[in-house]
Amino acid sequence: MFSPCSRHLFISSQLRRLQSTLVVAEHNNEGLLPVTQNILSAAKKIGGDVSVLVAGTKCGPAAEQISKASGVSKVLVAESDVFKGCTAETLTPLILATQKQFSFTHILAPATAFGKAVLPRVAAKLDVSPITDIIGVKDANTFVRTIYAGNAILTLEAKDSIKVITVRGTAFAPEPLEGGSAAVEKAPEGDYKTDLTEWISQELTKSDRPELTSAKNIVAGGRGLKSGENFKLLYDLADKLNAAVGASRAAVDAGFVPNDLQIGQTGKIVAPDLYIAVGISGAIQHLAGMKDSKTIVAINKDPEAPIFQVADHGLVADLFKAVPELTSKL
């Protein structure tokens, strides 16, 4: 006979074996976007089999990359011109067909513009409640996420039989793409063409600097810079640090920089090794997007600015004097 403790452990291990997770990969056909590796880490914490869906036009290289990750049991590939641009309208029926065939208990995607467009549709079609932007996994049914712009942490238990989840990539370590040899199979075939939307084109900003969400160092500016021309101070500093450049919503709304540089609750979520906030007061919406950074340095002339409450190092100074001096010493 099993003791109560042994019985609990046995049942728990059996349930973990029954878990199966589908990770919807984000990629550019030529390769995976780094955030997919973070989502794999979250999937492995849930336990059970992990499968990855890669859909695109010529996504063979991305599928080959993910098949090398340890812990992935199979990679499902859907290649067709229908998936050009990976629109939510074409991916949703593909994910539903894949779910119907394999009966996954969890469906995961990154909490990026891509994942936020696709998974709510999937959840609605499956008649379940989506679980958004998780930062932790307690067990297969219990997850951790932030609320109130990151000022409170919520632990929730999901009751739905299928959990549809977007994952904050910065909260999980990236899973290395080595040590595995997953089988690569065709995803369920079907008519996934839609007349609802048509992918026309995409214009990407080209830069020699690191991409904002994956950069190890970030220099960010706020309204204190007073104009877009003054952001050159930050670009010069970023060049010395091999850093990406970001901005607060106030700077974006003022027209200083384009909105793809916005960091915060309604912008991009980042967690670099070094975050230098220049002329940023520290509204809670901005802090929600960067306070997981390992080291935060704040430069602001207002000693009462909220940014100093989360900063590891603070400098109360005129940024127009402090930033050029800092740049010259690097």
Side-chain angles (χ1 to χ4, degrees), residues 19-22 46 104-108 140-141 143 163 165:
Q19 306 298 333
S20 58
T21 300
L22 176 68
I46 292 171
F104 296 104
T105 56
H106 299 74
I107 301 174
L108 270 59
N141 299 314
F143 309 94
K163 284 78 176 174
I165 305 168

Side-chain angles (χ1 to χ4, degrees), residues 104-125:
F104 296 104
T105 56
H106 299 74
I107 301 174
L108 270 59
T112 57
F114 167 79
K116 290 175 181 177
V118 176
L119 285 204
R121 290 171 175 268
V122 173
K125 289 290 188 178

